[in-house]
Amino acid sequence: MIVRTLKEIIGTEREVSPENGNWVSRRFLLRSDGMGFSFHETIIYAGTETYMWYKNHLEAVYCVGGEGELEDLETGKRYKIADGTIYALNGHEKHYMRAKADMRLICAFNPPLTGREVHDAEGVYPLIEE
Ligand code: 9YT
C-alpha cells in the first residue's frame, strides 16, 4: 500500500513547474508506483493562459477549487471550470486553460507520467517508454 501526503511531495522531485511558472504539479503517483495511471494535484495560477495538447496521453481533470475557462480548440467551445466539475480529454483535444482564480485540479494521466514532464513547444508531454 502507498500512503503519501502533500507535505512529503512539496520541494521534492515529484513537484514540477514549467519555466514560465504558470502552474505547479505535485505528482502523488507516477509510473514507477505501478498503478497504470499517474495522479497529480495541479495548481494553475490566476491570470495565466496555458496551451496544452496531450497527443500521447489521456487526462481527466477534476476541479476542487478556483475558477477558469477551458477552450476546446477542436470545437471552439468554452467551458467554465470550477469546484465540482470534471473534464476528460478523451480525444486528445488541443485546448487552452485560462485561470481566473488559482485553480486546484486533481489530474489522472493514462499512460502514467514518469516524473519530470513539462509541456514542450507544441504543448505536448513526451511519451516515455521503458
Ligand atoms: C490542467 C493541466 O493539465 N495542467 C498542466 C499540468 C498537468 N495537469 C500535470 O502535469 O499535472
Side-chain angles (χ1 to χ4, degrees):
M1 189 182 292
I2 300 166
V3 178
R4 289 194 180 115
T5 66
L6 183 58
K7 215 172 146 193
E8 288 166 352
I9 286 171
I10 287 175
T12 72
E13 285 253 298
R14 284 175 179 263
E15 187 178 48
V16 176
S17 287
E19 266 181 22
N20 63 19
N22 284 356
W23 50 263
V24 60
S25 171
R26 281 90 184 229
R27 296 178 171 167
F28 282 87
L29 297 172
L30 288 166
R31 189 172 67 181
S32 57
D33 294 308
M35 296 293 290
F37 57 88
S38 60
F39 192 94
H40 320 168
E41 177 184 271
T42 299
I43 308 297
I44 302 193
Y45 295 112
T48 64
E49 175 181 85
T50 303
Y51 170 75
M52 293 168 273
W53 178 31
Y54 294 120
K55 154 165 100 167
N56 302 310
H57 299 85
L58 300 170
E59 186 195 22
V61 180
Y62 182 58
C63 181
V64 296
E67 192 189 319
E69 182 191 74
L70 171 68
E71 182 179 1
D72 178 344
L73 295 175
E74 313 294 323
T75 62
K77 279 193 186 165
R78 292 170 185 233
Y79 303 89
K80 177 183 162 178
I81 304 297
D83 185 8
T85 302
I86 192 170
Y87 65 91
L89 301 162
N90 59 342
H92 301 278
E93 296 88 345
K94 295 176 178 173
H95 59 289
Y96 273 108
M97 181 63 81
R98 300 182 183 95
K100 299 193 189 314
D102 284 0
M103 302 180 78
R104 185 161 174 244
L105 305 170
I106 308 303
C107 315
F109 280 84
N110 170 21
L113 300 197
T114 61
R116 304 295 299 167
E117 291 95 336
V118 288
H119 302 120
D120 68 14
E122 279 191 306
V124 169
Y125 284 170
L127 182 61
I128 302 170
E129 302 281 15
E130 208 100 89

